[in-house]
Amino acid sequence: MTSTRETELRARAAQLDAAHAATDLRTRFLLPEGVVYLDGNSLGALPAGVPAAVEDAVRRQWGRDLIASWNSHGWWQAPERVGDRLAPLLGAAAGQVLVGESTTVRLHQALHAAARMRPAGDVLVVDPASFPTDLYVSAGVAEQVGWQVVECSPDELAGTLADLGSQGRSVAAVSMSHVDFRTGRLWDLPTITAQAHAAGALAVWDLCHSAGAVPVDLDAHDVDLAVGCGYKFLNGGPGAPAFLYVAHRHLAAFSNVLPGWHGHAEPFAMHAGYSPAPGVGRARIGTTPLLSLLALEAALAVFDGVDVRAVRARSLSLTAYLREAIETLVPGTRFASPALDEQRGSQVSVVHPHAYGVVQALIARGVIGDFRTPDVVRLGVAAPYLTHGQMLEAATALAQVLAQGEHLDPAYAERPTVT
């Protein structure tokens, strides 16, 4: 790369950062010095308000007010309250989002509810490239309710549904991930949802890699059910609770496969028989880990006064610039992530035969991404706390790692169990 091109890249980074200054939310986070953090699509950074909120929950609410906090501090209402706070980021009206449990549990509930709402259906369509948990849950639920699982890529869904229809099969649900966790491919949620509905199926979405980063507009696109985690782009912390979305039109028919006393219409009456609570509260199970839930509630404050569409605009600029800088500094780079804005989530994925070593060498230089088997260097771009200047730092570090062979260090030859 010529020095002129280097100068141009630096100048463009500065210009782009100035243009997107309104969505630079770094002051709302506690970020470590000297680190370019590109793993927010796995674990979001720490929002500045979370430590104080957790300390208050521990010292004042739990420590001083003890069990009275279920009433005096609204612990009991927290799953629905936090759900309503999250709902605008998902394009959902209040009363349709519940927070608590894990994504695995929430998907299990959603698919079982879909089976009850489509009793004649005998097929579940899934994307084979989905996150493994989604596939495990899909297979497990299918075995329990008598579905056949049919796999197809989202861009092949229309043809697959037509073939199944010609065979006289009834599709109960189509379950897809909004963003491919390896490649960052953003799928067309409105079109896929409409295709599912045209086949008489329910549309069930996993929003783990889009919630908080990409406008989802669940209500506008008539999504039926959706799930997602709280610890990626929502920055809720390790193990943050997940969410479940149930469209208003389905709430009365939603059947909770895991009925617990928190989801009872009269939980403190201690009836022997189960009657579901009205509204989305019927999806509650048991006692939610309150410290994690309150941490997520505090984390969501980073989005106060910020439209998710503005976050998306910043993300598209950052990821496009990162890709450009990598292409310039490392000619011939293979990308797994799409070049087109409308097809790209909030990450840039690079393909390299020594991807694990590349990731570890980048981490040693203070650029934290992650590895996905077998050959993907995954660079997640959490737009609120990253800059175009940092994208150039990351691209420069990648070029230096490869030029100096740092990724071939024998220390990276054997991968640990957790990567």
Side-chain angles (χ1 to χ4, degrees):
M1 187 180 73
T2 66
S3 58
T4 300
R5 188 61 178 128
E6 289 179 19
T7 302
E8 290 174 352
L9 275 176
R10 291 194 186 95
R12 268 181 36 76
Q15 291 167 356
L16 289 168
D17 281 331
H20 291 272
T23 48
D24 184 344
L25 305 182
R26 285 176 292 168
T27 58
R28 300 188 184 189
F29 293 85
L30 300 176
L31 302 168
E33 293 289 334
V35 169
V36 178
Y37 188 59
L38 298 177
D39 212 0
N41 56 335
S42 191
L43 174 65
L46 175 63
V50 169
V54 172
E55 182 176 14
D56 180 71
V58 171
R59 293 188 180 277
R60 184 172 68 95
Q61 298 178 38
W62 176 18
R64 187 193 72 187
D65 297 341
L66 299 167
I67 200 167
S69 292
W70 284 102
N71 293 313
S72 61
H73 295 295
W75 285 3
W76 183 266
Q77 297 81 14
E80 288 93 337
R81 183 180 72 241
V82 180
D84 283 346
R85 182 155 194 176
L86 172 59
L89 292 176
L90 307 177
Q96 300 174 100
V97 181
L98 184 75
V99 178
E101 312 300 335
S102 67
T103 307
T104 303
V105 172
R106 291 308 187 196
L107 183 58
H108 189 83
Q109 289 179 289
L111 292 178
H112 264 283
R116 295 284 186 91
M117 287 188 271
R118 292 292 186 271
D122 62 353
V123 173
L124 169 65
V125 179
V126 301
D127 178 2
S130 294
F131 192 76
T133 281
D134 290 26
L135 299 178
Y136 305 157
V137 171
S138 297
V141 172
E143 182 178 3
Q144 292 155 11
V145 305
W147 281 340
Q148 177 190 355
V149 176
V150 173
E151 296 182 344
C152 78
S153 173
D155 55 4
E156 299 172 345
L157 179 63
T160 297
L161 292 175
D163 289 343
L164 289 167
S166 68
Q167 298 167 23
R169 307 298 299 276
S170 177
V171 179
V174 173
S175 182
M176 299 283 177
S177 293
H178 195 193
V179 174
D180 185 295
F181 77 101
R182 290 189 184 89
T183 67
R185 172 67 189 269
L186 175 68
W187 295 107
D188 186 345
L189 181 147
T191 297
I192 291 170
T193 299
Q195 290 171 344
H197 289 168
L202 296 174
V204 183
W205 285 95
D206 179 335
L207 308 177
C208 283
H209 286 85
S210 58
V214 177
V216 181
D217 295 327
L218 295 177
D219 287 353
H221 299 312
D222 291 326
V223 168
D224 300 294
L225 300 157
V227 302
C229 67
Y231 50 81
K232 299 182 190 299
F233 292 114
L234 297 177
N235 311 296
F243 63 85
L244 170 68
Y245 164 88
V246 183
H248 271 308
R249 64 188 179 278
H250 294 310
L251 283 171
F254 182 90
S255 178
N256 188 352
V257 70
L258 298 170
W261 77 287
H262 274 233
H264 197 285
E266 298 181 87
F268 293 98
M270 303 298 172
H271 293 302
Y274 183 79
S275 297
V280 77
R282 66 181 49 208
R284 292 176 67 153
I285 302 172
T287 306
T288 301
L290 259 296
L291 298 182
S292 294
L293 183 55
L294 296 176
L296 173 60
E297 182 175 31
L300 292 175
V302 302
F303 293 101
D304 286 352
V306 179
D307 190 320
V308 70
R309 284 170 174 75
V311 174
R312 174 62 171 164
R314 182 182 182 90
S315 165
L316 286 174
S317 182
L318 287 166
T319 52
Y321 178 79
L322 175 58
R323 184 183 175 109
E324 176 191 353
I326 292 174
E327 288 175 328
T328 303
L329 288 161
V330 191
T333 295
R334 289 177 55 211
F335 292 92
S337 49
L340 295 177
D341 284 359
E342 62 269 23
Q343 294 181 355
R344 187 174 65 253
S346 201
Q347 73 186 59
V348 173
S349 293
V350 171
V351 178
H352 194 280
H354 299 285
Y356 176 75
V358 171
V359 169
Q360 296 307 308
L362 284 172
I363 291 172
R365 284 177 167 267
V367 177
I368 302 177
D370 67 10
F371 162 76
R372 285 295 176 262
T373 187
D375 56 6
V376 174
V377 177
R378 195 173 69 155
L379 305 174
V381 178
Y385 53 79
L386 289 167
T387 68
H388 296 82
Q390 289 177 313
M391 298 302 96
L392 182 55
E393 287 182 51
T396 300
L398 177 62
Q400 292 171 346
V401 161
L402 296 176
Q404 298 176 29
E406 296 168 19
H407 59 299
L408 301 176
D409 189 315
Y412 308 144
E414 186 171 345
R415 301 171 192 164
T417 303
V418 179
T419 58

